Amino acid sequence: MTAGSLTFRDDDMGSGEGDCPVVGPVPVRPEIAAQARAGWRILLSAVKVGGQWGLVEVVSGDP
């Protein structure tokens, strides 16, 4: 996580932290990144186009 991006890890798809699929960094507004906390569970859809990730839909979050 940086001032202008978030990185997501899909804990449900891997058997341990080292092999979980990663989405990101995804560019977001700095005020959004500042509110994010490690460990939150978020249901989202993302795509990678031209080497850059983007969020398509954020369905829900559970801080």
Side-chain angles (χ1 to χ4, degrees):
M1 181 168 40
T2 67
S5 70
L6 297 173
T7 299
F8 302 91
R9 186 179 71 228
D10 190 345
D11 292 332
D12 294 334
M13 295 290 293
S15 58
E17 186 170 324
D19 67 348
C20 296
V22 173
V23 172
V26 178
V28 296
R29 294 190 320 253
E31 58 271 20
I32 298 298
Q35 293 178 34
R37 299 292 177 259
W40 283 4
R41 296 184 60 85
I42 300 172
L43 178 59
L44 58 85
S45 297
V47 296
K48 191 173 188 180
V49 177
Q52 185 169 356
W53 284 100
L55 298 180
V56 177
E57 178 180 28
V58 177
V59 179
S60 66
D62 183 26

